Amino acid sequence: MNPSNNNKRDYYEVLSVERSADPQKIKQSYRRMALKFHPDRNPGDKESESRFKEVSEAYQVLSDPQKREAYDRFGHQGLSGSGFQPFSGFEEIFESFGDIFGDFFGGGRQSRTRAQKGDDLRYDLTIDFMDAVIGISKDIEVEKLDMCEDCNGSGAKPGTTPSVCSQCRGSGQIKRTQGFFMISSPCPECRGSGQVIQDPCTRCRGFGRVESRKGLTVKIPAGVDRGSHIRLRGEGEPGMYGGPPGDLYIVIDVKSHDQFQRQGDDLYLEIPITFSQAALGGEITFPTLEGDEVRDIPRGTQTGYVMTLKGRGVQNVRGYARGNLYVKTVVITPSNVTPRHEELFQELAELGGEDFSPKKKSIFEKIRESIT
C-alpha cells in the first residue's frame, strides 16, 4: 500500500460532485474550480497552486471511464497498478486539458505559447528635399497578407471549426526522450498549430490569410533625413494563432537639392561672387528655407568666407532647436578676359605692388601676328 494515498482526498469531494455525476457535470465542475484556482489568476498563492493540481488530478481520473471504474471499485489503490501517474507540473496539465483552458482563457496557455506575432513589413519611400525639411503627408499603398474575412483567419470553411490535433493533443509539440533529455519538436501532423482543418476555407485554402493591398496616409514629420524610420504599429501582417499583427516600417530616402547641402540639422550653401563684389563688398542675395535673403559682405571678401545664420537650418525631428545655415562665398575668376580686362588687371596688379609678368607669346602667336 502506498502511504501517500492515505492523505489524498476523495476525487468526487475534490470536484464537489456526486458519485453518480455524469461526464458533463464533472467537466463543468472542473472548469469552474480550475478557473477559480488557476495560477494565472492567483500569482504566488501556494494554496491555490496546490488546489489547482488537486482538481486537475481528480478530473484526470474521473473524466477517463477506465480510470474512474478502477477508482470507484478500489479507491486510490485501484490506480496504483494501472500506470496512472499524477501530474508533476503545470505544463503537463495544460497539455492534457488545453482545450478546456482554451474555452475560458482565450486559447489557454498553450495557445498563448503558440501565438505568433505577424511579420513586420518595410516600405521604401523617396521624398523631395524640401518635403523632408518642412514635413508632409504621403499616401501609399502596401501589399501584404491580411486576415481572411470569410473564415476570420481560422482557415476552416465557414460554419466549421478546426479540430484538436490527435497526435499532439493540441499542444503543437511532440516530445520525445533522448538519453536524459526531453526534446520537443513541432508536430508533423499539424505543423505546430495544434489544430487540424478537415474542411478548409475555399478563399484562403486553409491558410487563414489572403493577399491584399491597403492604402495608408503617412505623416512625415519635419526634419526627417535619409535613413529615417517611421513605425506604424499594427500595420504589418496579421499574427498567427491569435498573435498580434506586425508593424510597418517606412524607410525614408531623400532626394538631393541643387543648392543646399545637409549635415544633420545644419545646411550649407555656396554663393558665387565676382572679383568686384569680393574687392568692393556690398549686398549679395542668396536663398534660405524661408525665401531669398539679402546680406552685406565686407570689402576684400575671400573665397571661403562664411556667414552663419543661427536657427535657420532644419528643424530637429525630435523637436529640439533648428540647426544653422552656413553661407560660404566663392570668388569666381573671369574666364572670358578681353584686352581691356587684361589692361585693368595689369594696372590693379601694379597698384598692389605685385610682380606681374604677362604670359609670353608662343612662337605660333608671333608668326600669326607677323602674317596679319
Side-chain angles (χ1 to χ4, degrees):
M1 178 179 293
N2 187 347
S4 63
N5 288 332
N6 295 330
N7 299 324
K8 286 183 177 292
R9 294 170 58 202
D10 180 78
Y11 287 150
Y12 291 99
E13 179 185 346
V14 170
L15 293 180
S16 299
V17 295
E18 300 292 334
R19 301 188 77 84
S20 59
D22 59 27
Q24 185 62 27
K25 182 72 173 179
I26 291 174
K27 183 176 182 179
Q28 289 176 350
S29 180
Y30 171 64
R31 283 161 55 98
R32 183 180 66 256
M33 300 187 76
L35 175 62
K36 179 179 179 181
F37 299 116
H38 196 282
D40 284 357
R41 299 206 167 195
N42 303 276
D45 188 339
K46 296 297 183 182
E47 182 178 353
S48 294
E49 178 180 324
S50 177
R51 290 294 302 277
F52 180 75
K53 291 180 179 179
E54 184 181 45
V55 297
S56 296
E57 181 181 326
Y59 180 72
Q60 183 191 21
V61 172
L62 299 185
S63 63
D64 186 307
Q66 292 181 344
K67 293 176 183 176
R68 183 178 180 181
E69 181 181 358
Y71 178 75
D72 287 344
R73 293 183 63 185
F74 307 105
H76 293 292
Q77 294 303 318
L79 303 171
S80 299
S82 65
F84 168 70
Q85 292 291 333
F87 296 111
S88 60
F90 288 119
E91 290 304 318
E92 290 183 42
I93 297 174
F94 293 130
E95 286 176 10
S96 296
F97 305 140
D99 56 335
I100 294 178
F101 294 136
D103 289 344
F104 52 79
F105 281 101
R109 180 170 296 201
Q110 288 181 352
S111 293
R112 289 197 297 270
T113 302
R114 289 199 310 269
Q116 299 174 10
K117 181 183 177 182
D119 291 336
D120 294 332
L121 296 178
R122 169 177 173 151
Y123 186 95
D124 295 320
L125 180 61
T126 301
I127 59 176
D128 291 330
F129 182 90
M130 292 306 298
D131 290 340
V133 169
I134 65 177
I136 194 174
S137 291
K138 282 282 188 180
D139 293 328
I140 65 172
E141 192 173 64
V142 180
E143 295 183 0
K144 65 175 183 175
L145 294 175
D146 211 345
M147 185 181 72
C148 177
E149 295 181 355
D150 287 7
C151 65
N152 291 322
S154 70
K157 185 177 180 179
T160 68
T161 57
S163 58
V164 176
C165 177
S166 59
Q167 188 165 342
C168 66
R169 293 185 297 176
S171 69
Q173 298 288 315
I174 296 295
K175 293 184 177 181
R176 66 182 189 278
T177 302
Q178 185 171 329
F180 296 100
F181 301 98
M182 181 71 73
I183 299 176
S184 296
S185 60
C187 174
E189 182 70 21
C190 63
R191 297 181 181 179
S193 68
Q195 298 178 332
V196 176
I197 299 173
Q198 303 291 349
D199 198 357
C201 171
T202 56
R203 183 182 180 190
C204 66
R205 293 176 295 179
F207 188 52
R209 299 189 290 179
V210 293
E211 293 184 358
S212 67
R213 300 174 71 91
K214 183 175 182 180
L216 296 169
T217 299
V218 183
K219 292 184 178 179
I220 301 171
V224 296
D225 203 353
R226 183 177 288 112
S228 295
H229 290 65
I230 298 174
R231 180 183 183 185
L232 301 183
R233 294 181 181 273
E235 292 296 347
E237 293 190 343
M240 298 291 288
Y241 316 123
D247 301 325
L248 173 63
Y249 288 88
I250 311 295
V251 182
I252 303 296
D253 189 24
V254 181
K255 295 179 182 178
S256 299
H257 195 271
D258 58 355
Q259 290 179 295
F260 294 114
Q261 301 270 338
R262 180 176 176 179
Q263 293 184 18
D265 297 331
D266 296 328
L267 291 179
Y268 293 81
L269 179 67
E270 288 189 352
I271 296 298
I273 60 175
T274 65
F275 268 180
S276 301
Q277 288 175 309
L280 303 176
E283 292 182 346
I284 60 170
T285 303
F286 55 87
T288 70
L289 296 180
E290 292 78 17
D292 287 347
E293 184 95 3
V294 178
R295 289 290 178 101
D296 288 331
I297 57 173
R299 289 173 175 266
T301 296
Q302 306 294 317
T303 290
Y305 170 75
V306 177
M307 291 181 289
T308 302
L309 281 67
K310 291 188 176 181
R312 301 290 293 277
V314 179
Q315 173 63 53
N316 183 274
V317 72
R318 292 182 176 82
Y320 303 136
R322 285 176 62 176
N324 300 327
L325 171 61
Y326 297 96
V327 182
K328 176 182 176 181
T329 59
V330 178
V331 180
I332 303 301
T333 303
S335 56
N336 299 320
V337 179
T338 66
R340 177 58 179 157
H341 286 145
E342 185 175 344
E343 221 177 276
L344 293 173
F345 283 135
Q346 289 178 8
E347 290 183 17
L348 286 172
E350 292 172 0
L351 288 172
E354 298 178 26
D355 183 13
F356 181 78
S357 299
K359 179 182 176 183
K360 293 183 179 180
K361 296 179 181 179
S362 68
I363 184 66
F364 298 105
E365 290 175 323
K366 292 179 179 179
I367 294 173
R368 185 169 58 251
E369 288 180 356
S370 66
I371 295 175
T372 58

